[in-house]
Amino acid sequence: MNRTAAVPVPVPLDRNWPLVAAGAVLGCVGVGVIFALAVLLGPMSAATGWSRGALSGAMTWAFLSMGVAGFGWGVLSDRVGPRMVVFAGALLLGLACILASRASSLWQFQLGYGVLMGVAVASFFTPVIAATAASFEKRRNLAVSLVSAGVGVAPMTMSPLVAWLISHYDWRQTLFVVGVLAWALTLPAAWFVRTAPAAAHAHGDDTGDGTVSDARKALRSRAFIVLALTFFACCAAHSGPIFHTVSYAVGCGLAVTTAVTIYSMEGAAGLGGRVLCGLLADRVGAKPVLVAGLLVQAVAAVSYLAVNRLDGFYAVAIVFGMAYGGTMPLYASLAREAFSPRILGMVLGAAGMLSSLGMASGPLIGGWLFDRYGSYVWMYVGSMAVGLGAAAIALWFPSARRPRNPDALHPALQS
């Protein structure tokens, strides 16, 4: 009895908006810091003599370590709550930037900017998204989408900031400033990451809302396999274009500072896409919106080959950004439809491992294809093919199961 009384009172369902705001800030800073490498790629290569392919390898290591660490952070957050996990990640993020800024060799840079930074940023996604998905019922898709919207804000905030810094300072000073700024923004945000509802700690193989709460059963289920494979293919389809489009635009004759605005346009469109898809998913369901978004993303990716002027790049970036931005939050919502909140961190962490492999493969394969053929054509064509495959896989996700007794969804929260 005393142990139960010591547990903090959970936030009521559909009211944990401070968590949503904090999650958006964390996502913005985390993704913004990782993708700063896309802005720093040219200046760093010129200053250090390290090839662009070798520097891009840091991005690959970041996403690989993010996937592995995301699973660990997710399991840990199921046990101790998301706040301490996020706080630890925030400390690591600033440290990774500062260590990378002091790297004297390529392997040191890849270790700091790649491995350590991936571990840090992973703490901002799975635990926070899992807590958000468990904290909302009627507005779940919108809440998760707003948390994910921070990712869309990153290209409009962090990328221009990094571009300004690198135009006034060298890459080492730029990374040092970014690390200090990361601490200033993420450490206070971690305080607002509150625990999920008490229902997340329910026991038993199945909960009252018909979802699976047994970890072993969950990882062998059709819902998880389809979710994870779709997540992987989706990320593999859009990560290459996200990372290499700036370089592709420069090859088409645009200045670097102008080409970076294409990335910012994608981010701005992704912000709108997250909100729009979240609202639509709350009305018609996450699955049909996800399938439609994946189809649009596939077509938009290959459409970059049809443009070579700024206005054309902007037009494609808007559609592409809305598509990939709108689909990303829906995986957490689908997971919550099938699995109990008490194992949601583990489920999303495991699916995130595969998605990170997809994110890691896109920049690496895109760079290899360019080095091999001297063109980005096959990267964009491949992105379309993989994106269409993702849409086909998503069709196999089982239909949402409705609770047998809506009034018994979260008895611990009823007064």
Side-chain angles (χ1 to χ4, degrees), residues 3-24:
R3 184 176 62 180
T4 302
V7 177
V9 177
V11 182
L13 283 175
D14 292 302
R15 296 184 183 179
N16 202 353
W17 295 109
L19 168 63
V20 173

Side-chain angles (χ1 to χ4, degrees), residues 331-348:
Y331 296 101
S333 182
L334 286 174
R336 179 60 187 94
E337 291 176 2
F339 305 104
S340 165
R342 83 178 185 92
I343 62 167
L344 202 55
M346 182 273 296
V347 168
L348 290 177

Side-chain angles (χ1 to χ4, degrees), residues 32 48 61-62 103-104 106 116 120 137-138 176 193 196 200 210 241 253-254 256 265 267 279 330 375 378 404 410:
T48 62
W61 281 112
S104 58
L106 180 61
L116 186 58
E137 189 65 37
K138 294 180 180 179
F176 183 87
V193 178
L254 275 64
V256 175
M265 184 65 71
L279 291 170
L330 300 180
S375 169
W378 287 111
R404 293 183 292 274
H410 298 282

Side-chain angles (χ1 to χ4, degrees), residues 223-256:
F224 174 77
I225 293 172
V226 172
L227 180 77
L229 290 178
T230 305
F231 209 176
F232 167 82
C234 172
C235 291
H238 66 235
S239 60
I242 289 174
F243 188 80
H244 287 285
T245 291
V246 171
S247 297
Y248 172 64
V250 171
C252 291
L254 275 64
V256 175

Side-chain angles (χ1 to χ4, degrees), residues 193-222:
V193 178
R194 295 182 284 180
T195 56
H201 304 287
H203 297 283
D205 290 339
D206 295 286
T207 59
D209 59 356
T211 58
V212 177
S213 62
D214 179 80
R216 294 179 181 178
K217 184 187 298 185
L219 294 180
R220 295 194 302 265
S221 68
R222 168 185 162 186

Side-chain angles (χ1 to χ4, degrees), residues 3-55:
R3 184 176 62 180
T4 302
V7 177
V9 177
V11 182
L13 283 175
D14 292 302
R15 296 184 183 179
N16 202 353
W17 295 109
L19 168 63
V20 173
V25 171
L26 292 165
C28 174
V29 176
V31 169
V33 170
I34 282 187
F35 276 93
L37 184 57
V39 181
L40 298 174
L41 199 59
M44 284 189 64
S45 180
T48 62
W50 303 332
S51 70
R52 295 193 181 195
L55 287 170

